[in-house]
């Protein structure tokens, strides 16, 4: 059954299990944070985010087109400032499908459907290939721009897939493709192929990857 969820569209693709810091300054999203803080149970301070396909996070024109698959997040940390803005941290809980977005209230509200995650086992060779490829990528990138990941790689295959997806510098469409992948096995195979392509390019031209995502230290929570 569809549910209703406050929505915070972003110019980024987020993933379950990955924490994200956000600076909240626009009126409608400040209202969203105030709404969440009135929820008594911290575990129920939930909102959704989908990536903006076309348009902007802020301003009069706003987002013109959104991807339909996104993430439900839980607000975990809030720091309020005297000017009314917030710095918050949220962690991705699970995937959602945005069926309809209503923007007429104090903040956007989406009609969403929670997406099931398949529970089938991931072949061990797929896991090992993904870990080995990212380790090689991490070593090469560390010599150029710093380590893209804080800490060690997760052992759980599903969480490993989300972590590698978040750490890999890619255009938004390919990040979205990883989010929409059918299961962890497909996601790990896809991210491994993308990392190998990146490694081939880096071996030819010793420079930063094409996007700036590699400069961001994603911190699994």
């Amino acid at each position: 059954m569809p549910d209703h969820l406050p929505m915070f569209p972003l110019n980024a693709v987020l993933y379950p299990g990955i924490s994200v810091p956000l600076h909240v300054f626009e009126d409608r999203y400040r209202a969203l944070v105030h709404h969440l803080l009135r929820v008594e149970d911290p575990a129920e301070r939930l909102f959704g985010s989908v990536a903006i396909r076309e348009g902007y996070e802020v301003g009069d024109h706003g987002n013109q087109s959104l991807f339909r698959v996104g993430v439900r997040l839980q607000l975990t940390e809030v720091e309020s400032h005297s000017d009314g803005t917030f710095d918050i941290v949220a962690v991705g809980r699970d995937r959602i499908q945005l069926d309809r977005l209503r923007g007429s209230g104090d903040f956007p509200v989406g009609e969403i459907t929670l997406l099931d995650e398949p529970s089938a086992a991931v072949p061990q060779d797929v896991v090992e290939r993904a870990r080995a490829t990212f380790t090689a990528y991490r070593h090469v990138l560390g010599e150029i721009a710093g380590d893209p990941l804080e800490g060690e790689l997760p052992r759980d295959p599903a969480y490993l897939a989300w972590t590698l997806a978040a750490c890999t510098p890619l255009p938004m469409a390919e990040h979205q493709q990883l989010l929409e992948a059918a299961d962890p096995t497909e996601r790990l195979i896809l991210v491994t192929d993308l990392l190998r392509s990146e490694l081939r390019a880096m071996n030819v031209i010793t420079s930063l990857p094409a996007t700036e995502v590699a400069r961001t230290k994603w911190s699994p929570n």
Side-chain angles (χ1 to χ4, degrees):
M1 292 290 292
D3 202 354
H4 294 83
L5 198 64
M7 294 297 299
F8 196 149
L10 294 168
N11 284 317
V13 178
L14 307 182
Y15 298 103
I18 305 297
S19 61
V20 57
L22 296 170
H23 179 62
V24 183
F25 60 91
E26 195 172 5
D27 287 346
R28 53 186 168 176
Y29 299 123
R30 287 158 58 175
L32 185 155
V33 174
H34 283 293
H35 165 77
L36 293 176
L37 292 176
R38 289 193 291 270
V39 177
E40 186 173 350
D41 183 356
E44 295 301 320
R45 292 174 180 170
L46 304 174
F47 65 101
S49 182
V50 291
I52 299 170
R53 189 195 305 266
E54 180 183 353
Y56 307 94
E57 293 179 3
V58 299
D60 295 335
H61 296 290
N63 45 79
Q64 306 298 316
S65 175
L66 302 172
F67 287 101
R68 292 192 65 197
V69 176
V71 173
R72 183 172 64 159
L73 302 113
Q74 178 183 341
L75 181 67
T76 57
E77 298 178 32
V78 179
E79 180 181 358
S80 59
H81 303 291
S82 58
D83 61 358
T85 64
F86 296 96
D87 283 304
I88 68 172
V89 176
V91 62
R93 288 261 297 255
D94 38 30
R95 293 189 306 160
I96 61 172
Q97 176 179 290
L98 178 63
D99 301 315
R100 183 185 176 199
L101 184 69
R102 300 201 308 258
S104 57
D106 292 338
F107 50 83
V109 174
E111 292 182 8
I112 63 101
T113 303
L114 292 177
L115 299 178
D116 294 331
E117 288 297 322
S119 57
V122 179
Q124 189 59 33
D125 64 313
V126 171
V127 175
E128 292 174 357
R129 194 178 304 117
R131 292 178 68 91
T133 303
F134 181 77
T135 298
Y137 168 79
R138 190 179 186 181
H139 175 74
V140 173
L141 187 63
E143 297 178 347
I144 302 171
D147 196 337
L149 173 68
E150 293 180 354
E152 300 301 317
L153 286 173
R155 295 189 177 276
D156 177 74
Y159 190 22
L160 174 66
W162 293 130
T163 301
L164 297 188
C167 290
T168 303
L170 297 168
M172 182 179 289
E174 291 180 345
H175 272 295
Q176 185 69 25
Q177 185 181 4
L178 288 168
L179 180 64
E180 295 183 12
D183 54 45
T185 298
E186 179 181 318
R187 193 169 293 117
L188 283 173
I189 291 172
L190 177 58
V191 76
T192 299
D193 289 343
L194 292 168
L195 280 168
R196 287 180 170 179
S197 296
E198 188 68 30
L199 276 169
R200 285 193 293 270
M202 292 166 74
N203 285 333
V204 173
I205 303 175
T206 306
S207 62
L208 285 175
T211 67
E212 295 297 316
V213 182
R215 297 175 186 237
T216 301
K217 288 180 178 282
W218 290 85
S219 179
N221 187 344

